[in-house]
Amino acid sequence: MKFVTFSMAALASVGCIGMAQAELPEAYCKAWHDPALMKRIDAGIERNRKGDVTLRVVDAAGRPVPGAAVSIRQKTHDFLFGCNAFVLGQLETPGLNRQYEETFARICNFATVPVYWKGTEPERDVLRYQEGGEEIWRRPPVDRFIPFGKKYGLTLKAHPMLWHEHNPDWLPKDPEALKALYRKRFKELAGRYAKDIAIWEVTNESTGCHKTYPLYSEDRAYVAWALREAAPLFDGSHRLMINDFTQFNERLPAENAYYKQLKGLLDQGLRIDGIGLQFHIWFEPQLMARHLAAERYLPNRLLDVYEAFAAFNRPLYITEITVPTPPGEDGEAIQAEVVKNLYRLWFSAPAMAGVTYWNLGDSMAHDKENTAAAGLIDKGLKPKASYRALDELINRVWRSHAEGTADAAGVLKFRGFYGAYDVTVTRDGVTTARPLHLSKGGAAEQRIVLN
C-alpha cells in the first residue's frame, strides 16, 4: 500500500494545524484534495447553508434610522450536528457526567435518544421510562434525556421504534400478537414523549432484516405497516424517519436497494419526513485503511448519491458515524482529517439536514466497537484532534458575524449561515437588542424597530 505523508504546511491547509504528520493512502488524498472537488464542496456550502437578509432599521413610527451601528452574531445553527447520548448520567462521578454533558453540547445541538425495546421493557409490562429503576449501560431511562435536551437547547431524536434486533426475549413469535404489542409500544412512546422529542426513527436497518424475525417478508412490508401505524400519533411538527446501512451512501439509484425501497414507500403515499443513512467506516481500525486505499467512499460519488436522494424532496440525515483512530503516533491526525473531510462534504450536500457521530468517547461504544477507538474524545474525556477539528468548523468557520452601519435608508444587507442570531443596533448612545432567525426559505427582509 502506497502512502503519502502530509507535511505540517499541508496539514495546516486542511485544518490540522499543530498535529503530528499524518499518513493517508495516496488514492484517498488524490480523491479528497482534488481542486475541482474542493470547489464543488465550497460552492455547495455557500449555496445550501447560507442565505441573504436585508435588515431595515426603523424607529417606533416606522421611519428609517440611517447611520445606526449594527452588530450581528450567530448563536445557533439550523443544521443539526449530533451524537448519540447513550451514556448520559452513567459515568463514574458527577464531575465526569457534567464534563460529558458540556463536551457534548459544545459541538452538538442534536442528540439521539435510545428507545430500544429491550432497554425500555426488558420484562413484559416492566417499563423503564422513569428514573429509579435498574441502570443499564448505554440504555439510560428515556426520561433522563428530556431535561438534558432542554438545558442545552438540543433537538432530540428517538432511535428506534421498531428494529428486528435488540428486542426483549419475551416477545411473541406470532406476527399478529407482535403487531399488537408494537401498537401498544408506539402509543406509549408517542403519548409520553411526542411533546419533547421532535424526530423519530420508525424503522431501522430493514434491508438487513433476517428471516427469523416474525414480521419478515422479502418485500419488508412491515416497514409500510409501521409507518401507517406511527403516522397518526405524531403531528406535523415531528419528523418520522427510516434508517439504513452505510453501503447505500455509495450506490446510485439503479443499484441502490434502499433508494428503491424509499421510492416504493413514497409512491404508496406513506409518511416519511426524513431519510437516514448510516456511515460506519467499520469498527476495526485496519479496515479503515483498506477502505480508504481501495477507493471506497469516493467523495464525488457520495455527492452524486445524495443529489439523487434529494429528488425525494425529503431531508437527509447521516445517522451513525464511526471513523476509527488508527494505532500509532499519527492515528488521531488521520482520524481528524477523515472526519473533517466528511463533515465538509455532508455540510455541502443540498438535502442534508443533519449528521450524527455515533459514539462521543472511545470507551462509550457497544461491545467490539470500542476496538475502533472511534470517539471524538478519549477514555479520559479529553478532546481528540477530531473533536478539535469539528469544534473549529462548527463554532468558528461555519458561524457568522458582522458589524456594519445602516445606510441612508436605514438598510444593512447581510449574508450568513442559517441559524439564530443576536442583533444589536446602536444610535445616539441607545442600544436595542433583537433576535434574528435566518432560515432557508425565510423572510428576505426583517425590520429592526429601535426603542
Side-chain angles (χ1 to χ4, degrees), residues 145-360:
F145 293 88
I146 308 309
F148 172 62
K150 291 178 179 178
K151 179 178 180 179
Y152 293 101
L154 306 173
T155 297
L156 301 181
K157 180 184 72 173
H159 165 84
M161 296 179 73
L162 183 156
W163 189 24
H164 59 278
E165 300 280 2
H166 287 253
N167 290 318
D169 295 335
W170 57 263
L171 290 189
K173 303 298 183 183
D174 176 72
E176 293 307 313
L178 181 55
K179 283 184 176 181
L181 288 170
Y182 272 122
R183 292 187 186 99
K184 173 180 176 289
R185 168 173 158 82
F186 289 1
K187 289 176 182 177
E188 285 173 353
L189 288 169
R192 192 175 185 98
Y193 298 112
K195 64 183 182 298
D196 295 308
I197 299 180
I199 302 178
W200 293 77
E201 283 183 4
V202 179
T203 64
N204 184 51
E205 298 179 1
S206 66
T207 62
C209 182
H210 45 71
K211 293 183 179 181
T212 59
Y213 180 58
L215 301 185
Y216 174 85
S217 63
E218 191 171 341
D219 62 355
R220 309 303 194 266
Y222 74 85
V223 176
W225 174 84
L227 291 167
R228 289 192 187 97
E229 293 292 330
L233 305 176
F234 299 93
D235 63 28
S237 67
H238 300 94
R239 286 187 175 175
L240 302 185
M241 295 176 52
I242 67 173
N243 181 48
D244 226 298
F245 292 117
T246 302
Q247 63 261 33
F248 299 120
N249 290 267
E250 298 186 277
R251 298 176 182 174
L252 292 169
E255 56 185 14
N256 194 316
Y258 186 40
Y259 184 97
K260 294 173 183 177
Q261 180 190 42
L262 284 159
K263 185 177 187 307
L265 293 167
L266 292 169
D267 285 348
Q268 294 177 56
L270 293 165
R271 178 180 171 184
I272 299 176
D273 305 317
I275 297 168
L277 289 157
Q278 301 173 15
F279 203 95
H280 297 291
I281 303 180
W282 213 233
F283 301 115
E284 294 81 4
Q286 65 271 24
L287 289 183
M288 184 173 84
R290 291 185 204 166
H291 284 323
L292 299 182
E295 301 186 6
R296 293 288 308 279
Y297 314 119
L298 291 172
N300 279 303
R301 170 59 70 93
L302 294 175
L303 287 171
D304 289 345
V305 170
Y306 301 144
E307 289 179 9
F309 272 85
F312 290 129
N313 197 29
R314 301 292 192 278
L316 299 180
Y317 298 86
I318 305 298
T319 55
E320 305 177 20
I321 302 163
T322 298
V323 178
T325 302
E329 179 183 355
D330 298 331
E332 278 199 25
I334 293 172
Q335 184 202 33
E337 168 78 354
V338 173
V339 166
K340 179 192 66 65
N341 289 339
L342 286 167
Y343 270 68
R344 275 181 31 84
L345 182 144
W346 289 324
F347 196 58
S348 77
M352 201 66 68
V355 295
T356 294
Y357 206 84
W358 198 228
N359 294 293
L360 185 65

Side-chain angles (χ1 to χ4, degrees), residues 342-409:
L342 286 167
Y343 270 68
R344 275 181 31 84
L345 182 144
W346 289 324
F347 196 58
S348 77
M352 201 66 68
V355 295
T356 294
Y357 206 84
W358 198 228
N359 294 293
L360 185 65
D362 279 347
S363 60
M364 299 172 186
H366 171 66
D367 194 22
K368 69 176 183 178
E369 295 175 16
N370 282 308
T371 62
L376 302 174
I377 60 177
D378 65 19
K379 293 180 180 179
L381 307 191
K382 178 182 176 182
K384 295 161 62 176
S386 52
Y387 182 99
R388 297 194 298 271
L390 290 183
D391 188 17
E392 174 73 11
L393 288 175
I394 295 165
N395 292 316
R396 290 177 58 85
V397 177
W398 295 337
R399 194 170 290 251
S400 300
H401 64 273
E403 311 281 339
T405 303
D407 65 15

